[in-house]
Structure formats: structure tokens, C-alpha cells
Amino acid sequence: MNNTIDILRKVREIEIRSRRLSANIFAGAYHSAFKGRGMVFSEVREYAYGDDMRDIDWNVTARFGRPYVKVFEEERELTVMLLVDVSGSLDFGTTMRTKRQLTTEIAATIAFSALANNDKTGVIFFSDHIEKYIPAKKGRKHALYIIREMLEMQPTSSKTDIGAALEFLSQVMKRRCTAFLLSDFYTTLPYDNQLMMCNRKHDLGAIQVYDRRARQLPNIGMMHVRDAESGETMLVDTSSRQLRQAYRQYADKLQQHTVSTFAHTGVDYVSIATDDDYVRLLKRMFEQRRH
């Protein structure tokens, strides 16, 4: 895809596929999952049997000597922000697609689901810094612009800093939004605190993309291995059982850390492989968010 014609053709292919998935599968699940997530304060009224105790306004209750609750109403539209990892490790892929291609398809599907729901969509592209920020807007033209930028993006760094992306989200989005963090989470830099802060302020969900073969070395003898983020290259003997076990243990430990990070921060999370049916997994994630 080195010229404009190839880019436009690919954009059109992704639009057709994404719009079909959004219309036929995600429109209902998306709306149900995020309806009522954007809530604004409306008024206070006296407590009635069955009201949620967490909605009690203790200041008003103390003033009048009887319980009052806060009443919220749903905002008519949501703002959806996509935080898209464009670091070097996303270029890896051994099956149907690379992690970057999968990320683009998922992000496009979410963008068109938002479009069908009349929501605004914006994007934060990040590596170890913010590569590009596209403020949220409505409309098909804007959705196509986002897809084109995903396809044309040439990051200036191959490294990853998820915390920096989350901090930037908190800075630019003053009002509550629905945010999706898309990454392979291939990083040793901590981002727990930023996750918790963003999840308190926004409705945050995480989507991990991965390649199954990246978690296990094949037994093919001597092989040059290059770290996509650091650029470091080394010659390894993959016929060594001890080496393969050590690599698998390292990959498992990194994945366990990722899973535990989302568990203790309370962030919704789904993991999708490059050869998975991401439609099914995304739909399941949306359905779980309704409960």
C-alpha cells in the first residue's frame, strides 16, 4: 500500500466489512452495552422504596432530615475514544493477519458501530508518546478519515508507553466518554495507576491483540530473533528445549501480569488472537458489559 489508490481501496474494503458487521451484529449489542453509560446529574428527589442507596445525596439529606437521592439522566449521545497502539510489536503476525491489521479492523468496526448509534468517535495513536490525536466527531467522512490514518500511520517510535496514552486521554477528555484501549500490551512499563484513574473518570475497556506463535518458540534450529520495540537482534538455538521453556515462561508471566492488571483495576478486558473470530469475542464483551 505505497500509493493513494491502494490506500483508498483498502479503506473501502474495511468500510464495507466493518459496516456490515456493525449493522448486522454490533448495532444492538453496542447500544445495549453503552446505553446509560454517559449520565448527567438532573435533580434530587425524596428517597423512595427500591432506590439505590448509592444515589443518596448526603448533603441534602442532612439539611432536610430525611433521605434524598440524586437523579441522573442519560446523555443523548456518547463520545467514543479509541486508544490505538502503533508501536513496533504490532507488526508481527504469522497467520491470517498481523496484530496491526487486526487492531485496524476492530477499531473500524467499533467506529462504525458508534456511527450507527449517532455517537462521536476520536482516536489517540500512541507508541511511547502520542503519535497523533484526532478529536471526536460524527459522520461517515470522519470514520473513513480515521481508517485512512490507521492505514497510513508511520510511528516515529517503535516502543510502547500505555500510561502516557491514558494520561493524555484524561487531559483532553474533560467529560466522561467511552474509551477502548487497543494494544498487545507488550511492555514492561507500569500503567496500573493510569488505568485506575481513567476507569474512574471514563467508561474504559481494553482489547488485547496477540499472535499465538509469539508466545511459543518453534523448534526450527538456529534462528535470528529481533525485538520489534528495542530493535535488538540475536541468534538463538530454538532446538534447545530449555530455551523454549524459558521463553514460554517469560511469555506466560507477561500475560499473567496483563490479566492481573485488568483484574485489580476493574477494567473490562478481552484478548483476541490474530486467527480468532473477533466478531464473536467483541460481541461477547459488549454483552457482558450490559450486566
Side-chain angles (χ1 to χ4, degrees):
M1 291 187 299
N2 293 323
N3 56 59
T4 303
I5 294 177
D6 287 338
I7 289 289
L8 292 176
R9 176 180 56 79
K10 188 62 177 176
V11 168
R12 181 58 178 161
E13 289 175 0
I14 292 177
E15 179 194 14
I16 292 171
R17 175 171 172 77
S18 300
R19 287 177 73 94
R20 185 174 69 250
L21 294 175
S22 299
N24 295 340
I25 300 174
F26 289 123
Y30 171 94
H31 181 74
S32 297
F34 304 112
K35 181 179 67 173
R37 295 284 181 159
M39 306 293 287
V40 292
F41 174 74
S42 175
E43 60 181 347
V44 294
R45 61 166 172 76
E46 282 199 61
Y47 176 85
Y49 179 76
D51 285 338
D52 193 331
M53 296 287 289
R54 292 172 295 184
D55 291 335
I56 290 179
D57 187 321
W58 294 107
N59 290 329
V60 177
T61 296
R63 188 180 310 150
F64 290 97
R66 55 185 183 275
Y68 277 78
V69 294
K70 296 177 182 178
V71 178
F72 297 87
E73 61 182 20
E74 181 184 347
E75 290 184 304
R76 297 196 174 185
E77 64 182 33
L78 295 176
T79 297
V80 177
M81 289 300 301
L82 302 170
L83 285 72
V84 181
D85 185 350
V86 293
S87 61
S89 60
L90 273 291
D91 289 322
F92 183 81
T94 61
T95 54
M96 298 172 58
R97 53 176 85 87
T98 65
K99 290 186 284 184
R100 190 180 304 280
Q101 289 169 333
L102 175 59
T103 298
T104 299
E105 288 189 31
I106 292 173
T109 301
I110 294 173
F112 279 108
S113 294
L115 175 64
N117 206 48
N118 201 34
D119 295 333
K120 296 187 291 184
T121 309
V123 183
I124 298 170
F125 294 106
F126 70 94
S127 53
D128 61 350
H129 62 276
I130 305 305
E131 295 281 352
K132 184 163 188 159
Y133 167 53
I134 301 177
K137 292 182 181 179
K138 290 184 180 182
R140 173 178 175 269
K141 183 177 179 180
H142 183 67
L144 293 177
Y145 169 59
I146 288 174
I147 296 172
R148 192 184 74 221
E149 288 301 304
M150 288 182 187
L151 294 172
E152 292 184 318
M153 174 62 59
Q154 297 293 327
T156 58
S157 174
S158 60
K159 299 180 180 179
T160 310
D161 189 341
I162 295 170
L166 292 167
E167 287 177 3
F168 184 79
L169 174 68
S170 295
Q171 291 170 6
V172 297
M173 298 302 297
K174 301 303 181 184
R175 298 185 64 184
R176 184 175 177 83
C177 73
T178 295
F180 293 94
L181 174 59
L182 292 90
S183 174
D184 57 3
F185 299 97
Y186 186 81
T187 180
T188 57
L189 294 176
Y191 51 92
D192 306 49
N193 291 337
Q194 293 93 335
L195 267 180
M196 285 189 286
M197 286 191 299
C198 272
N199 200 36
R200 281 198 294 263
K201 183 178 179 181
H202 303 294
D203 183 13
L204 180 63
I207 301 172
Q208 180 186 37
V209 295
Y210 73 98
D211 189 288
R212 298 183 197 279
R213 295 185 183 179
R215 296 181 179 177
Q216 187 168 354
L217 285 176
N219 183 0
I220 56 174
M222 301 301 292
M223 182 176 71
H224 279 97
V225 178
R226 179 178 178 273
D227 188 308
E229 302 221 347
S230 69
E232 181 181 355
T233 303
M234 65 182 70
L235 184 65
V236 298
D237 182 6
T238 61
S239 64
S240 168
R241 183 178 179 182
Q242 184 178 6
L243 174 66
R244 294 198 309 274
Q245 287 180 338
Y247 180 83
R248 182 58 184 265
Q249 288 172 358
Y250 169 78
D252 288 346
K253 183 177 180 181
L254 184 62
Q255 179 61 15
Q256 288 167 7
H257 174 72
T258 300
V259 173
S260 65
T261 295
F262 292 119
H264 84 257
T265 56
V267 174
D268 290 336
Y269 156 80
V270 65
S271 187
I272 304 176
T274 52
D275 59 349
D276 269 337
D277 176 6
Y278 71 86
V279 172
R280 176 179 56 85
L281 294 173
L282 270 184
K283 185 179 180 182
R284 182 189 301 170
M285 181 189 187
F286 284 2
E287 289 173 345
Q288 288 174 344
R289 292 172 69 90
R290 286 185 289 183
H291 303 293

